Amino acid sequence: NAGVTQTPKFRVLKTGQSMTLLCAQDMNHEYMYWYRQDPGMGLRLIHYSVGEGTTAKGEVPDGYNVSRLKKQNFLLGLESAAPSQTSVYFCASAGLEQFFGPGTRLTVL
Amino acid sequence: AQSVTQPDIHITVSEGASLELRCNYSYGATPYLFWYVQSPGQGLQLLLKYFSGDTLVQGIKGFEAEFKRSQSSFNLRKPSVHWSDAAEYFCAVGLSGGSYIPTFGRGTSLIVHP
């Protein structure tokens, strides 16, 4: 039982490049979330999903897209990366309590 | 809309001293309440949770928290802090019904002096 896993752990992009962050959970949870964490800002919700095939915007969705084609996976995409998207990204899944992945540290130059 | 306040951005304690981290929430009904801990470079780990029943809940690593409805608080306590407890602590509130979007406080950074 791996819980919530995230791929990759680290990534450096140049401005304008695109990338996809993968989140996988093996707990059969309906809910999945993507957060970003910046110093002094706490956790901010980017997008979330309440089940396979569904997605919804969170607090800071601009510049990001998501897809939930399979129940166990939740993908976060950056179509054209900007330096303001330099952050640590966390994925979580939930029944009643959230389980978090280890994070992806993204730097956009 | 629900909100969570952690009034202390930083707290410094000496190793072996007691600890209390404050958390207040605003919501009319009794929510689900959580405390998470985040060590440097790590993800968030659940310390304890309250759904209903006994208002004093025990968690991992010797932590406990008490739900006080009259004060809308869910403060985290530990009787004797260890140096390894130095981390960021987050309080969170979840609501039943509708979309499940927990709200997090901004976090409290715990510094432990030897």
Side-chain angles (χ1 to χ4, degrees):
Chain A
N1 189 338
V4 179
T5 59
Q6 292 183 233
T7 308
K9 289 184 170 54
F10 303 93
R11 186 72 185 267
V12 178
L13 292 178
K14 295 181 179 178
T15 297
Q17 287 185 318
S18 64
M19 78 163 294
T20 300
L21 282 67
L22 171 64
C23 175
Q25 55 99 1
D26 60 4
M27 294 171 282
N28 202 35
H29 287 157
E30 293 292 340
Y31 284 87
M32 295 188 74
Y33 316 79
W34 276 107
Y35 293 90
R36 61 178 290 173
Q37 185 177 38
D38 304 289
M41 302 294 290
L43 287 169
R44 291 186 290 172
L45 182 64
I46 304 171
H47 286 280
Y48 65 98
S49 168
V50 301
E52 181 178 319
T54 76
T55 63
K57 294 180 180 180
E59 181 185 355
V60 288
D62 294 342
Y64 305 95
N65 56 76
V66 288
S67 64
R68 183 99 180 266
L69 299 180
K70 294 182 178 180
K71 186 177 184 178
Q72 64 267 33
N73 295 336
F74 195 29
L75 278 63
L76 178 71
L78 286 72
E79 291 185 348
S80 180
S84 61
Q85 294 177 304
T86 293
S87 186
V88 181
Y89 292 86
F90 288 100
C91 175
S93 71
L96 287 179
E97 62 193 72
Q98 286 179 310
F99 292 84
F100 284 82
T104 295
R105 188 173 295 275
L106 175 66
T107 301
V108 182
L109 302 176
Chain B
Q2 73 240 37
S3 66
V4 179
T5 302
Q6 293 182 246
D8 303 305
I9 297 175
H10 302 282
I11 282 189
T12 301
V13 300
S14 297
E15 191 170 14
S18 63
L19 171 70
E20 182 169 35
L21 302 182
R22 296 182 290 164
C23 174
N24 293 94
Y25 67 91
S26 69
Y27 185 63
T30 300
Y32 303 139
L33 297 161
F34 309 89
W35 275 99
Y36 289 86
V37 60
Q38 184 181 31
S39 298
Q42 304 295 317
L44 277 72
Q45 180 185 18
L46 182 69
L47 278 176
L48 47 76
K49 60 194 176 190
Y50 174 80
F51 292 151
S52 66
D54 191 346
T55 57
L56 183 64
V57 294
Q58 303 297 320
I60 61 171
K61 304 186 181 188
F63 285 92
E64 67 177 26
E66 186 172 13
F67 168 54
K68 293 186 176 180
R69 185 190 308 273
S70 61
Q71 298 177 18
S72 297
S73 69
F74 189 56
N75 293 349
L76 182 71
R77 300 194 294 248
K78 187 170 185 178
S80 178
V81 171
H82 189 263
W83 63 266
S84 60
D85 293 325
E88 191 86 13
Y89 291 81
F90 293 93
C91 180
V93 170
L95 302 177
S96 60
S99 292
Y100 188 65
I101 312 297
T103 298
F104 283 80
R106 288 289 185 94
T108 297
S109 178
L110 175 64
I111 300 165
V112 180
H113 282 168

